[in-house]
């Protein structure tokens, strides 16, 4: 299991999505967050099970909610970390995480 780092922009993605779902139905925002952390645990346990979508970035899809988690593996051994770059609705262009990468100073 690797160390988990969540970029501030990804934290904002999560907060905005959870708030939107909570506004739709009481408790739905919490269900979104629960499913998200379930997939994050899977990412942390075995990141190679998720496809590489370019530039070393991998994508994991939530089952119930139409969201994708874009992440990157950095370092090796005890220094290994999983970096969550973005949590985006699947209808949004994946170029969003690419632009963020440039704006936030690289992937590592």
């Amino acid at each position: 299991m690797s160390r988990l780092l969540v970029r501030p922009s990804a934290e904002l993605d999560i907060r905005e999505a959870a708030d939107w779902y909570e506004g739709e139905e009481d408790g739905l925002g919490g269900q979104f967050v629960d499913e998200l952390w379930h997939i994050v645990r899977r990412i942390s346990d075995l990141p190679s099970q998720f496809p590489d979508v370019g530039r070393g970035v991998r994508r994991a899809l939530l089952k119930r909610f139409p969201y994708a988690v874009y992440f990157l593996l950095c370092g090796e051994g005890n220094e290994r970390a999983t970096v969550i770059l973005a949590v985006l609705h699947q209808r949004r262009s994946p170029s969003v995480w690419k632009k963020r990468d440039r704006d936030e100073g690289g992937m590592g």
Side-chain angles (χ1 to χ4, degrees):
M1 198 182 260
S2 64
R3 195 168 45 118
L4 177 69
L5 303 171
V6 181
R7 286 210 173 149
S9 54
E11 288 178 7
L12 183 60
D13 293 338
I14 295 164
R15 197 174 10 241
E16 287 177 350
D19 288 348
W20 187 86
Y21 280 115
E22 193 62 31
E24 292 296 300
E25 180 182 320
D26 284 348
L28 197 56
Q31 292 173 35
F32 170 79
V33 171
D34 288 346
E35 183 174 335
L36 175 67
W37 291 122
H38 173 76
I39 199 79
V40 167
R41 281 191 301 276
R42 286 185 54 209
I43 290 168
S44 187
D45 289 344
L46 188 59
S48 62
Q49 70 181 302
F50 299 101
D52 185 312
V53 294
R55 298 168 44 189
V57 174
R58 293 180 178 272
R59 181 186 67 204
L61 301 177
L62 278 69
K63 290 186 182 197
R64 179 175 175 201
F65 298 92
Y67 276 77
V69 178
Y70 293 88
F71 66 96
L72 178 69
L73 302 175
C74 298
E76 294 184 20
N78 291 339
E79 298 298 316
R80 188 168 147 193
T82 300
V83 181
I84 305 294
L85 303 172
V87 178
L88 302 175
H89 193 283
Q90 291 180 37
R91 288 198 176 174
R92 286 191 68 186
S93 170
S95 65
V96 171
W97 65 258
K98 293 175 186 174
K99 180 182 181 324
R100 286 184 187 172
D101 176 54
R102 287 191 305 273
D103 295 346
E104 294 178 13
M107 290 198 237

